[in-house]
Amino acid sequence: MKKGILLVNLGSPESPTPQDVKTYLGEFLMDERVIDLPYIARAALVKGIILKTRPKASAAAYKKIWWEEGSPLIVISERLQAKVQKEIEYPVALSMRYGSMTIEKGLKQLVDQGVDEVFLIPLYPQFAMATTETILVLAEEIRQAHFPNIKIDHLPAFYNRPDYIEVLSNSIKHHLESKTYDHVLFSYHGVPERHIRKSDVTKSHCKLDGSCCKTPSKAHEFCYRHQCLEVTRLVGEKLNLKPDTFSTSFQSRLGFDPWLQPYTDRTIERMGLEGTKNIAIVTPAFVSDCLETLEEIAMEGQELFHEVGGKEFTTVPCLNEEDAWSELLAKWINNWADTTATT
């Protein structure tokens, strides 16, 4: 069998215009694993409210971070793809879950090169139904409908792999070497609390009571909250951070349902009001800088921190296309290829 690799990230509007942003948000928010309401309720919320009010503001936000080459997330992902391709002998395609760079196009690109065994890599360290799961479900639907003769394997969540923690920790350490900071805030993209309970394979472990994420359980294989907290803990240990000098928060909530807490914006505000003068923000739910890191954190977060008396606000870039990150992906790919060759 000829092997091929498909990297999959979130996606982006075609341009920072209200119309293109509306098209993108429509596809993204109508995904039943992103807004997990019954179709009629989801359509009423998305099409009846959000798409009538949000595209203009979101387009303005995208415009602030848009690069000359295009969407930062797309450009960075393409750079990563190119670097990984140089490291391995197998063809590497790139897709997005939403937008024009579809998973179907990525699979076709590989199939046209003779590939019949695909290693799909969701570019998310932690598992979540709104990220990894929706990619895997859609990829399987596309395989069955259009490419029934290919086989698809995938990279599981890699949040706690020692080599990933080492690469992430070294990157954070490098970017903070010459910076002033009193506290490191690990900010992860939020999800509704109900997503955590829905992903609980035991149907009883995840109580969001402060202790379940620390109590060993097979539920942790699919528990986004546990996996985020574990990244914070492992990186904190790797960097020898003192317990009271780093913490975890969750950003980008939508709507009025309870989302994972504490919220990043309120945490930044509280820390500034309590006298913290210098903070550094790390965003390990993302491997590529995007709207949520470049605008929500680096711009809005910094402005909020300064408004409440903060001084130094440092944002640590995502792994993006760093050599150590592309080399690690190549190592995982080669390990997969070697293992499948003997089975």
Side-chain angles (χ1 to χ4, degrees):
M1 300 183 78
K2 181 174 180 179
K3 304 178 189 300
I5 314 304
L6 183 62
L7 305 177
V8 185
N9 213 328
L10 179 70
S12 170
E14 290 296 299
S15 74
T17 62
Q19 185 54 53
D20 280 345
V21 170
K22 182 178 181 180
T23 300
Y24 173 76
L25 288 178
E27 181 186 6
F28 173 47
L29 297 177
M30 282 303 294
D31 185 336
E32 64 182 357
R33 287 175 172 78
V34 174
I35 296 184
D36 55 326
L37 299 174
Y39 178 82
I40 294 177
R42 185 166 71 253
L45 173 63
V46 175
K47 299 179 181 180
I49 300 175
I50 296 176
L51 295 185
K52 291 182 178 179
T53 59
R54 189 163 177 172
K56 187 175 180 180
S58 293
Y62 272 108
K63 192 171 183 179
K64 287 194 288 184
I65 60 103
W66 208 259
W67 291 352
E68 207 172 294
E69 308 99 303
S71 161
L73 181 142
I74 301 293
V75 174
I76 290 167
S77 298
E78 289 173 338
R79 292 174 182 171
L80 178 65
Q81 173 197 10
K83 279 197 167 184
V84 172
Q85 184 64 84
K86 289 181 179 179
E87 297 280 342
I88 65 172
E89 63 183 77
Y90 314 103
V92 181
L94 173 66
S95 290
M96 299 290 151
R97 174 59 182 84
Y98 311 102
S100 62
M101 297 175 63
T102 65
I103 292 174
E104 183 177 345
K105 288 180 181 177
L107 288 174
K108 186 176 188 305
Q109 180 182 339
L110 293 174
V111 169
D112 286 348
Q113 296 178 72
V115 168
D116 48 16
E117 187 173 13
V118 176
F119 190 36
L120 189 156
I121 302 180
L123 291 171
Y124 302 103
Q126 304 86 14
F127 175 92
M129 58 183 283
T131 55
T132 311
E133 184 176 307
T134 187
I135 286 173
L136 298 180
V137 169
L138 179 60
E140 177 58 18
E141 291 174 354
I142 292 170
R143 186 197 69 79
Q144 292 182 14
H146 302 286
F147 311 106
N149 296 322
I150 69 170
K151 177 183 178 182
I152 299 180
D153 292 330
H154 74 274
L155 179 71
F158 49 87
Y159 69 99
N160 61 349
R161 290 196 176 199
D163 45 9
Y164 164 71
I165 293 298
E166 182 173 5
V167 167
L168 177 61
S169 300
N170 287 343
S171 177
I172 294 170
K173 181 179 180 181
H174 168 73
H175 286 291
L176 292 181
E177 276 178 344
S178 61
K179 306 297 182 180
T180 300
Y181 60 95
D182 307 311
H183 192 93
V184 180
L185 182 62
F186 290 75
S187 177
Y188 300 83
H189 199 289
V191 299
E193 290 182 354
R194 66 177 179 273
H195 283 202
I196 303 301
R197 296 188 176 93
K198 282 187 174 183
S199 298
D200 181 3
V201 293
T202 71
K203 303 304 179 186
S204 61
H205 179 78
C206 295
K207 297 180 174 62
L208 298 172
D209 59 1
S211 64
C212 59
C213 283
K214 300 176 183 178
T215 305
S217 171
K218 61 182 180 180
H220 292 171
E221 182 180 355
F222 302 106
C223 179
Y224 179 73
R225 183 175 185 271
H226 162 78
Q227 294 181 11
C228 292
L229 294 176
E230 195 67 359
V231 170
T232 299
R233 183 185 71 82
L234 292 170
V235 172
E237 286 183 357
K238 194 76 174 178
L239 297 180
N240 295 314
L241 299 177
K242 296 180 180 178
D244 60 345
T245 64
F246 69 104
S247 59
T248 296
S249 63
F250 298 89
Q251 64 186 84
S252 310
R253 63 190 182 277
L254 175 68
F256 301 101
D257 292 330
W259 281 49
L260 293 181
Q261 296 188 41
Y263 300 136
T264 295
D265 55 354
R266 294 181 185 175
T267 301
I268 291 172
E269 182 179 36
R270 174 184 57 78
M271 292 180 67
L273 290 173
E274 291 177 352
T276 301
K277 295 300 180 184
N278 311 298
I279 64 173
I281 312 287
V282 183
T283 50
F286 308 94
V287 298
S288 307
D289 277 310
C290 53
L291 184 71
E292 287 80 3
T293 65
L294 298 173
E295 197 272 339
E296 183 180 357
I297 296 297
M299 295 180 183
E300 290 187 3
Q302 179 171 242
E303 182 179 353
L304 174 60
F305 188 58
H306 289 160
E307 285 176 354
V308 293
K311 186 179 178 183
E312 294 293 331
F313 186 92
T314 300
T315 52
V316 177
C318 295
L319 291 175
N320 293 330
E321 72 271 21
E322 289 186 16
D323 289 345
W325 171 226
S326 62
E327 290 165 5
L328 179 57
L329 282 173
K331 185 184 85 169
W332 291 344
I333 290 166
N334 285 326
N335 288 345
W336 164 79
D338 292 342
T339 301
T340 55
T342 59
T343 58

